[in-house]
Amino acid sequence: EVQLVQSGGGSVEAGGSLRLSCEASQYNYCLGWFRQAPGKEREGVATIYTSNGPSSGPAHGTTNYAASAKGRFTVTQANVKSPVYLQLDNVEPADTGMYFCATGGLRNGECSLRSTQYRTWGRGTQVTVSS
């Protein structure tokens, strides 16, 4: 059974930075980051392809971002066995929520931002941004 262990998060003022990490016992295709604010649906934030080839997927390290994350968030993985990090810079109060990582998500050769495409989930970590 694949397990995902998350760390990081916390409270920060608007304009500040945080780093989240997600370590999987096994990486399967994509690693997606999602967030969920109280009373709202879970939304995709960023994805990264965590496998080495096959031809069905993009190159290792290929990333995909939601419009709200572009230019402020960065997802990285040093190699196929390393933790995946989500760097949050210039955060805004709207970034507040529970952040989850999940594996799976490969669809039509790309990592999806849709939560329904992912199979295994971490327990989440809270990010709170104050104005």
Side-chain angles (χ1 to χ4, degrees), residues 5 10-11 15 24 31 36 41 67 84 86-87 89 94 104 109 117-118 124 127:
V5 177
S11 298
L31 191 292
Q36 189 165 19
E41 292 185 357
V84 175
L86 181 67
Q87 178 71 33
D89 294 318
Q117 301 298 324
Y118 289 77
V127 171

Side-chain angles (χ1 to χ4, degrees), residues 20-42:
L20 312 182
S21 69
C22 178
E23 189 162 10
S25 57
Q26 180 178 339
Y27 293 102
N28 294 315
Y29 301 114
C30 306
L31 191 292
W33 284 98
F34 300 83
R35 68 183 178 197
Q36 189 165 19
K40 294 188 176 181
E41 292 185 357
R42 192 169 297 187

Side-chain angles (χ1 to χ4, degrees), residues 94-108:
D95 296 322
T96 295
M98 187 70 76
Y99 282 68
F100 299 88
C101 61
T103 61
L106 186 66
R107 185 161 180 87
N108 297 326

Side-chain angles (χ1 to χ4, degrees), residues 45-48 62-66 70 75 110-113:
V45 174
T47 68
I48 188 168
T62 299
T63 57
N64 185 24
Y65 295 94
K70 283 182 180 178
V75 57
E110 296 181 344
C111 291
S112 173
L113 283 167

